[in-house]
Amino acid sequence: MVWPDQVQGAGIGRQAELFPEGITAEFRHLYFECAQAYSPEQMALLMSRVPVSQILFGSDYDRFPLRHAVEQMDRLELLPEDRRAIESGNARRLLRLDSDEST
């Protein structure tokens, strides 16, 4: 585990030691919730940096109606399997809702 105080102010040599594959490679281990970030440009950029398995649907409810996020998501031209993963599959996997471990 890398703690924030280990990274803050770290020189390039220290960053290379902490992240031998580069900081961008670390993004593949994080989850990204996309509340109000459903423009084609934003989603294309995110999907170019992280696998679809790390992207979660979000709504910013109660700042915006849930309908707003759903409508934005519907406008994206995604593969059906990517849409299912982002809308619910990834969250179900992350929360272990479909596994024996959830019981």
Side-chain angles (χ1 to χ4, degrees), residues 14-26:
R14 181 69 174 135
Q15 288 181 25
E17 180 184 329
L18 293 171
F19 311 111
E21 296 179 45
I23 192 70
T24 304
E26 294 300 311

Side-chain angles (χ1 to χ4, degrees), residues 82-99:
D82 291 347
R83 180 176 303 280
R84 280 190 303 275
I86 293 168
E87 287 177 344
S88 64
N90 295 339
R92 294 187 68 80
R93 182 178 38 79
L94 177 64
L95 299 171
R96 298 183 179 156
L97 297 177
D98 295 327
S99 72

Side-chain angles (χ1 to χ4, degrees), residues 24 27-28 30-58 73 76 78 86 90:
T24 304
F27 292 160
R28 289 181 253 149
L30 302 174
Y31 287 89
F32 295 83
E33 181 266 334
C34 295
Q36 305 308 318
Y38 293 110
S39 75
E41 299 82 9
Q42 291 168 319
M43 190 60 75
L45 177 61
L46 182 59
M47 292 174 75
S48 75
R49 300 287 188 249
V50 301
V52 170
S53 63
Q54 304 306 107
I55 302 173
L56 305 168
F57 176 81
M73 181 76 177
L76 294 174
L78 298 172
I86 293 168
N90 295 339

